[in-house]
Structures are given as structure tokens and as C-alpha cells.
Amino acid sequence: MSKTLAPHPHTASRLALSELAPGAMQSEIRAMTTECDRIGGINLAQGVCDTPVPGPVENEAIAAIRAGHNIYTRLDGIERLRKAIAAKQRRDYGLEYDPETEVMVACGATAGLHAACMALLNPHDEVLMFEPFYGYHVSTLKSMRVKPVLVPLAEPDWALDVDAMRAAVTPKTRAMIVNTPANPSGKVFSRAELESIAELAREHDLFVFTDEIYEYFVYDGAKHICLATLEGMRERTIVMSGFSKTFSVTGWRLGYVTGDAKWMGAMGYFHDLTYVCAPSALQHGAAAGLEQLPAEFYTRLAADHQSKRERIVSALRDAGMEPSVPAGAYYVLAKATRLQGETAAKKARYLLAQTGVSSVAGSAFFRPGRGEDLLRFCFAKKDHDLDEACARLRRL
């Protein structure tokens, strides 16, 4: 009979959380969504994007399930969708990517970033990010023991401080993350700002990971520029985007990455290791959207969300919460100084209790001590829900 050895009384148990786990917690976005669901409120916290799914996208996904497209795909996605993504990048930005070696379908843009970090970064590398930031970007880096280095954007219009960006570079800097149009600020980086970023990347031989998931959500004549189109940037830029926002299918978890063939093989390996492949039948739906939806779909998408933006901005002003009007994406950061609570998290919970409208504490997008006077609101909602939320905010 085998003997079980008792642990030495002075030896720490090996049954313990990892070094990373104690600092990990549910995101404030998820926490506010849970609390909003509990009271049956209107969720302007999470970017769920519950507007209707385009007909060709929905119909083709259903048809694909019924046609038996329910097994694993190639690790980088079905050929049809890879070709459609390559055609889209050519159409929109004049970028040529080989669908066989330079396009990867991912389980959302988040999975694309995860695969890129696994393939191209090492523990203790440093990555420049702009603040306010999207929390999943920071958390993904930390989960790989990579250090995010925050470069604050200048309020009130979130302008790029080139001197601050340059001062943040160290011998350990390996890459930069650029989110444009940006969550949570709605900032759309200008060509001059992107040229400054590109110059720094070339000078210090850095990768740039660009999160362009909101590429079609631009307002007031603003233009989204893909950083990979700038001189010397295609080789070092990993472009991440997806279909969650554009086609209102956030729950499908479908995104993609385009990049130079030198990097994509390793990225595909790590995506396969973690996710195996993106949902098979749903890839056909996304391909149909890219193939069949006309240019007017994208211009109407922007116009519809600009109308939604005007409604939420007006309601926030009437409620005494001055908004920073976004040039892109579908979020608004608004001043919450007049609301009760010592922190932004408490202000968000006070607002939810008073109005049944959930928001996210601005502090979720800044380093500790910043963003405590801000709340973020998502306006990618069905019209009747958004209008009801606006009415409730005005009664505050």
C-alpha cells in the first residue's frame, strides 16, 4: 500500500493561487453589467451592441449550421473569410495581404491581441499604451508578465503628447498598442499623430499592435487611418479588427488579424493552442457580410450612431454631466462631479440606483488615482432603449 506523506509543518502549501491571480478581478464593466441585470436596468455600461444583425450575416450563419459547417476549421479560418478580409483591407486601405499566409481569423480581436503578444513579446518587455486605455489590453499584457507603460493623452480632447510618448521609451520597450477609434474616449488619432507614432516605431524598431475594431464608427467627417498604410509600417504593424461591432455580433467572438507573413505563423500557432479555431458556421456569416453588404451599409452605420451620440450627449448635458464628445467609437466619457460618491465606482452605483441606467467608472480606464470624476456610457443600443435611458438621465 502506498504511503501518503504529510506536508512538513513549516512548508507553505503548494495548493495556492498563481502569482498573477491575487491581483486579478472581474472588470468594472462586467461588474456593472451584472448589477444592472440584477435590478433590471438599462445597460449603458458594456459595449454589447444590441442593434440588429444585418440580414446576409444572420441568414448565412444559419444556413451554414444547417449545411453542416459545424466542425473545426483550419486554425486561421475558412478560406472564404480569409479572402474576404484580404479584399476588405485592399478596398478600404490599399493594403495587400496574402489570404493564405497573412490573414488569421480569431476568436475576437481580443484573441488576436493575445496571440500577437504570445508570438512577439517576452516576459519583462515593455509596451507603450495611451491613457485612457481599454482595460483588456492592459490585463492581457500583465497576464503574460509584460509591462504596460502608460502615456497620458491630454484632456479635454485627448491629444497625443509626443514628448511624453518619446520620454516613455526605454531599452526594454518592444511594442506599442494603438486603439483608434478608441475605447473609452472615442478619440480618432489624426494622421499627424499617427505619423509621430510611426516615426518612433521606426526609430526604435518597435512593433505596433493596432486595435481598429471601431474603424467604421467615425463622426463629423473624421477619417480612420490604418497605421499599416504609413511609410515603413506594414512590416511592423499587427492590425486587429473584427465583426463584433460592425455586424452587431459581439457574442459570436469573431475577429481577425492581418500582418506580415514573418509573424503570422507563430501567431496562428498560439491562437490554435488557446482557441483551436473561431466558430465555424459563424465565419460563413461574417464572410457573407463582407461580400454582400454595400458601401452604403457602412456610411449608414456611422450616421445612425452619430444620431445616437447626439441623443446621449444632449441627455448627459441636461443631467449636469458634461460629456467629452467622441469623434469615433460608441462611448462617451462624462464628468460625474455632481454625483454622490467618493469614487467613480460609487458614483456609477449611485447613478444606477437613482435612474436604473448603468455606466462604468472612469477609473477603470486610468492608472490609480485618475478618472475618478468620469463615467463612461455606451450608446450602441436599440433606439427605444437609448431614448428611455436618456429620459431617465434627464430626470436625475
Side-chain angles (χ1 to χ4, degrees):
M1 180 180 293
S2 64
K3 231 192 218 178
T4 303
L5 295 177
H8 191 280
H10 301 299
T11 302
S13 173
R14 292 178 180 174
L15 302 180
L17 294 171
S18 73
E19 294 173 357
L20 293 172
M25 62 186 73
Q26 183 183 41
S27 76
E28 186 66 9
I29 299 171
R30 293 282 188 183
M32 287 303 297
T33 293
T34 300
E35 186 63 15
C36 183
D37 290 345
R38 186 183 68 80
I39 70 165
I42 301 175
N43 186 3
L44 302 191
Q46 191 172 5
V48 294
C49 195
D50 62 0
T51 47
V53 178
V57 177
E58 184 177 86
N59 295 337
E60 192 85 2
I62 294 169
I65 292 171
R66 291 174 174 160
H69 296 292
N70 302 306
I71 60 174
Y72 299 136
T73 72
R74 211 171 89 164
L75 64 86
D76 53 358
I78 63 173
E79 181 182 27
R80 176 187 179 188
L81 181 52
R82 285 184 282 108
K83 285 184 174 179
I85 291 166
K88 173 241 180 261
Q89 297 294 70
R90 184 184 312 114
R91 177 198 72 202
D92 289 353
Y93 308 118
L95 288 166
E96 294 289 341
Y97 290 106
D98 183 346
E100 194 63 23
T101 60
E102 297 185 315
V103 178
M104 181 182 78
V105 181
C107 287
T110 303
L113 175 62
H114 184 269
C117 291
M118 290 289 287
L120 304 176
L121 302 178
N122 295 313
H124 313 300
D125 282 345
E126 295 181 358
V127 175
L128 302 192
M129 295 184 56
F130 299 102
E131 183 186 34
F133 53 77
Y134 176 49
Y136 276 53
H137 293 163
V138 168
S139 297
T140 296
L141 294 178
K142 287 182 175 178
S143 75
M144 298 179 190
R145 294 173 172 81
V146 173
K147 181 182 178 182
V149 176
L150 302 180
V151 178
L153 300 174
E155 295 187 61
D157 58 352
W158 312 111
L160 173 64
D161 183 334
V162 176
D163 291 336
M165 175 180 68
R166 287 189 159 274
V169 177
T170 77
K172 293 184 178 180
T173 306
R174 183 74 173 271
M176 309 171 72
I177 294 179
V178 180
N179 178 204
T180 182
N183 174 11
S185 65
K187 175 182 175 59
V188 177
F189 281 76
S190 68
R191 178 172 289 278
E193 290 174 325
L194 293 174
E195 290 283 8
S196 296
I197 291 169
E199 181 181 0
L200 186 70
R202 292 191 299 265
E203 182 181 326
H204 292 276
D205 200 22
L206 306 177
F207 284 111
V208 183
F209 304 148
T210 63
D211 183 341
E212 304 182 23
I213 194 74
Y214 301 101
E215 59 190 317
Y216 296 117
F217 296 83
V218 288
Y219 316 119
D220 301 322
K223 180 175 175 57
H224 169 65
I225 299 167
C226 179
L227 190 67
T229 63
L230 303 187
E231 183 181 354
M233 292 305 294
R234 185 195 181 280
E235 178 187 20
R236 67 181 67 253
T237 303
I238 309 301
V239 180
M240 299 169 292
S241 191
F243 310 104
S244 292
K245 320 299 183 180
T246 305
F247 295 159
S248 302
V249 289
T250 54
W252 286 16
R253 308 314 306 135
L254 270 182
Y256 61 85
V257 180
T258 56
D260 193 277
K262 289 192 294 292
W263 323 123
M264 295 300 290
M267 289 173 57
Y269 168 81
F270 285 110
H271 186 271
D272 175 36
L273 182 66
T274 310
Y275 306 96
V276 181
C277 66
S280 176
L282 305 185
Q283 293 187 47
H284 290 269
L290 291 179
E291 294 163 352
Q292 298 176 30
L293 290 170
E296 292 74 27
F297 168 81
Y298 300 97
T299 56
R300 188 170 65 251
L301 183 73
D304 288 347
H305 281 79
Q306 181 164 332
S307 171
K308 294 175 190 291
R309 182 196 68 170
E310 299 312 314
R311 280 178 271 169
I312 189 68
V313 162
S314 175
L316 289 167
R317 284 177 176 154
D318 289 346
M321 292 184 283
E322 185 57 33
S324 173
V325 181
Y330 50 53
Y331 307 98
V332 179
L333 284 173
K335 292 286 186 183
T337 312
R338 68 177 291 255
L339 299 183
Q340 290 183 24
E342 306 83 40
T343 66
K346 290 182 178 179
K347 292 175 185 292
R349 284 158 178 79
Y350 170 79
L351 181 68
L352 179 60
Q354 295 295 310
T355 65
V357 176
S358 68
S359 57
V360 181
S363 54
F365 311 103
F366 293 85
R367 71 192 73 191
R370 296 196 65 202
E372 296 292 2
D373 61 342
L374 296 171
L375 295 179
R376 190 199 75 173
F377 297 83
C378 172
F379 55 85
K381 305 292 293 181
K382 295 185 178 74
D383 284 335
H384 61 84
D385 289 332
L386 181 62
D387 291 339
E388 175 59 24
C390 289
R392 293 185 185 189
L393 289 171
R394 287 191 169 96
R395 293 197 293 268
L396 183 64

